[in-house]
Amino acid sequence: MKLILLLAALGVAWWWRQRRDAEQAQRHAARSAASQPLLQDMVRCNACAVHVPKADAVAGRQGAYYCCAEHRRRAED
Ligand SMILES: [Zn+2]
């Protein structure tokens, strides 16, 4: 009987630790995901001077960036 109680206690302790570790990993992942947009490179639209994240910008000729395809068309035509 003592052995069963001991095993049950160990099982609960193990489960508790797993849960805490999972919560910590989740919190850490959420925090790093939230801070990611702040580290994005920003580029300036060559037509209207608006700053947009490089990932969302439209690349034009000679390394120029634009906020949208319309501005690229207008600037490069
Ligand atoms: Zn623009």
Side-chain angles (χ1 to χ4, degrees):
M1 189 62 192
K2 268 186 186 171
L3 188 65
I4 291 170
L5 284 174
L6 183 68
L7 286 175
L10 284 174
V12 167
W14 176 83
W15 169 80
W16 188 261
R17 216 170 125 166
Q18 292 286 106
R19 211 183 67 156
R20 195 195 56 193
D21 288 353
E23 276 173 11
Q24 265 174 355
Q26 214 169 28
R27 227 175 298 141
H28 184 76
R31 209 178 307 139
S32 56
S35 65
Q36 211 105 50
L38 299 172
L39 300 171
Q40 275 184 345
D41 275 351
M42 300 295 280
V43 292
R44 189 172 158 273
C45 174
N46 217 27
C48 68
V50 154
H51 285 79
V52 290
K54 198 172 183 178
D56 297 337
V58 180
R61 273 177 257 158
Q62 295 162 352
Y65 287 100
Y66 300 94
C67 65
C68 59
E70 171 64 23
H71 280 180
R72 182 180 66 178
R73 192 187 58 75
R74 236 191 278 169
E76 294 188 348
D77 276 354

